[in-house]
């Protein structure tokens, strides 16, 4: 049977914030899977700001290679197997993987795929967000590096984003004080009213970033979960308590800059205050996914953890949804439902 497949390809390399014209919708014939392959009908596409880095020329590294012009955009997807040419997978199973923005994917079954159990306790979208890589990132960053203690202060940049909102909620679960940074009054209100943050800072108040942070945490912070890097990281480093921990998760300021953002100008603060600063990837902890999933599931069930999402529908809106993250239109995890 002949099928057509709609894909979003990278039309040009973004300069600064991505715009919809950086992406193009194309339609092509879909090949049949061969032995060892699966045909997956994608249900959700995950929008992750970090992939902007690999849209840049020369961005290949030990983790991923740069995306090609006119090639389908790489991203995380969740879909259902509709044809299997591999004995380990059955039609109807739901799988997740790092694939591309398209309606159908032909997958070499030897590639890494996460297979979801048949008896899911939550809707499928949760498994690309709070119960997927997003939740795992927040969980391992806080559990392994942040190690929040009751009464400590946790400051989170990009707190209204996919990872940041979960980090703040986990901080509260461990008895810490959660302070989020965001760029709008509405998001700041929602962080407090809907997700239980103790405080939220609008860094676009008109005051300098230094003044804004100093007012918000006059007593300093014990943990800083960094999703931004650049000037924000540099400024927060002036407000660390002795024994503070900095969790390096993302660098939004660098993804959209054609030149590297300035580095911290006060690294000796790490020495005098005995600060630990560490980066990580959640995929380093695959053996611990079951325990993380159990904890996150329990917190969702008892109401201490809430799922926050921003969802657009249709493959044609994938590029738009990606751009919306950098425009600050999303609250929580950004997904495209196909």
């Amino acid at each position: 049977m002949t099928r057509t497949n709609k894909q979003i390809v990278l039309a040009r390399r973004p300069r600064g914030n991505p715009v919809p014209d950086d992406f193009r919708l194309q339609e092509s014939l879909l090949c049949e899977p061969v032995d060892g392959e699966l045909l997956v009908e994608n249900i959700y596409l995950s929008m992750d700001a970090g992939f902007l880095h690999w849209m840049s020329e020369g961005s290949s590294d030990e983790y991923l290679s740069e995306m090609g012009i006119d090639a389908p955009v790489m991203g995380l997807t969740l879909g259902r197997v509709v044809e299997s040419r591999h004995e380990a997978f059955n039609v109807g199973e739901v799988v997740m993987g790092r694939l591309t923005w398209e309606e159908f994917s032909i997958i070499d079954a030897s590639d890494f795929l996460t297979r979801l159990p048949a008896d899911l306790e939550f809707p499928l979208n949760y498994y690309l967000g709070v119960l997927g890589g997003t939740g795992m990132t927040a969980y391992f960053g806080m559990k392994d590096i942040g190690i929040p203690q009751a009464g400590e202060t946790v400051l989170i940049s990009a707190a209204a984003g996919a990872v940041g909102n979960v980090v703040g909620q986990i901080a509260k679960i461990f008895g810490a004080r959660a302070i989020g940074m965001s760029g709008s009054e509405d998001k700041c209100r929602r962080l407090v009213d809907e997700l239980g943050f103790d405080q939220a800072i609008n860094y676009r108040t008109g005051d300098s970033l230094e003044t804004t942070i100093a007012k918000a945490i006059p007593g300093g912070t014990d943990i800083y979960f960094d999703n931004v890097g650049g000037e924000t990281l540099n400024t927060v480093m002036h407000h660390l308590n002795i024994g503070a921990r900095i969790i390096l998760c993302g660098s939004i300021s660098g993804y959209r800059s054609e030149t590297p953002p300035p580095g911290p100008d006060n690294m000796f603060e790490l020495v005098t205050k005995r600060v630990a600063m560490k980066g990580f990837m959640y995929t380093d902890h695959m053996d611990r996914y079951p325990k993380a999933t159990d904890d996150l599931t329990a917190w969702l069930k008892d109401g201490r953890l809430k799922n926050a999402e921003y969802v657009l529908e249709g493959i044609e809106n994938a590029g738009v949804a990606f751009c919306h993250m950098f425009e600050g239109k999303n609250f929580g995890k950004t997904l495209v439902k196909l």
Side-chain angles (χ1 to χ4, degrees), residues 159-160 180-205 331:
M181 300 176 66
S182 188
S184 77
E185 288 298 324
D186 179 64
K187 288 184 179 181
C188 287
R189 176 190 57 78
R190 294 184 66 183
L191 287 170
V192 174
D193 293 348
E194 297 178 20
L195 302 183
F197 280 56
D198 293 281
Q199 186 180 349
I201 306 168
N202 182 355
Y203 59 81
R204 291 178 175 153
T205 58
F331 184 85

Side-chain angles (χ1 to χ4, degrees), residues 3 10 13 18 47 58 81 118 128 131 135 144 178 181 184 193 201 213 242-243 260 279 281 297 299 303 324 336:
R3 294 185 179 94
L10 187 64
R13 301 201 182 279
M47 300 291 110
V81 177
L128 272 181
L131 291 175
D144 294 357
M181 300 176 66
S184 77
D193 293 348
I201 306 168
I213 292 176
I242 292 176
M281 301 292 288
T297 297
W299 296 337
H324 279 184
V336 173

Side-chain angles (χ1 to χ4, degrees), residues 98-321:
R98 188 174 65 237
L99 304 173
T100 52
W101 294 354
E102 56 188 354
E103 291 182 317
F104 293 91
S105 296
I106 293 180
I107 306 167
D108 184 332
S110 64
D111 291 341
F112 174 72
L113 290 174
T114 299
R115 187 194 331 239
L116 297 186
D119 53 341
L120 298 177
E121 297 187 74
F122 294 94
L124 288 176
N125 45 298
Y126 279 52
Y127 296 88
L128 272 181
V130 68
L131 291 175
T134 294
M136 299 289 181
T137 298
Y139 180 91
F140 291 125
M142 289 295 280
K143 288 269 288 186
D144 294 357
I145 305 172
I147 317 173
Q149 305 298 310
E152 288 189 320
T153 295
V154 180
L155 181 66
I156 306 120
S157 60
V163 173
N165 86 85
V166 181
V167 169
Q169 294 182 79
I170 291 176
K172 295 295 296 179
I173 289 168
F174 282 91
R177 183 167 176 256
I179 301 178
M181 300 176 66
S182 188
S184 77
E185 288 298 324
D186 179 64
K187 288 184 179 181
C188 287
R189 176 190 57 78
R190 294 184 66 183
L191 287 170
V192 174
D193 293 348
E194 297 178 20
L195 302 183
F197 280 56
D198 293 281
Q199 186 180 349
I201 306 168
N202 182 355
Y203 59 81
R204 291 178 175 153
T205 58
D207 292 332
S208 69
L209 187 60
E210 173 69 36
T211 299
T212 300
I213 292 176
K215 288 179 180 178
I217 50 170
T221 190
D222 302 292
I223 300 170
Y224 174 50
F225 198 102
D226 183 35
N227 292 301
V228 175
E231 180 189 2
T232 304
L233 171 61
N234 187 63
T235 303
V236 172
M237 285 178 62
H238 291 285
H239 301 276
L240 300 173
N241 291 333
I242 292 176
R245 287 82 74 197
I246 299 175
I247 306 158
L248 300 176
C249 177
S251 185
I252 296 172
S253 65
Y255 302 152
R256 53 194 177 188
S257 175
E258 295 185 34
T259 58
D265 60 14
N266 50 350
M267 292 294 286
F268 197 58
E269 293 266 359
L270 304 184
V271 177
T272 60
K273 293 181 177 176
R274 282 78 86 194
V275 173
M277 181 165 66
K278 185 177 181 180
F280 75 106
M281 301 292 288
Y282 78 91
T283 49
D284 295 337
H285 307 287
M286 291 170 56
D287 59 320
R288 297 167 58 201
Y289 283 7
K291 169 60 174 170
T293 300
D294 286 347
D295 285 348
L296 292 166
T297 297
W299 296 337
L300 282 166
K301 285 182 173 180
D302 67 21
R304 288 185 291 172
L305 179 61
K306 296 180 175 63
N307 182 48
E309 287 181 345
Y310 178 79
V311 183
L312 296 186
E313 294 195 14
I315 184 71
E316 67 278 3
N317 283 317
V320 173

Side-chain angles (χ1 to χ4, degrees), residues 84-106:
S84 175
R85 299 289 299 274
H86 193 285
E87 61 183 9
F89 291 86
N90 298 315
V91 171
E93 290 187 299
V94 177
V95 295
M96 296 188 302
R98 188 174 65 237
L99 304 173
T100 52
W101 294 354
E102 56 188 354
E103 291 182 317
F104 293 91
S105 296
I106 293 180

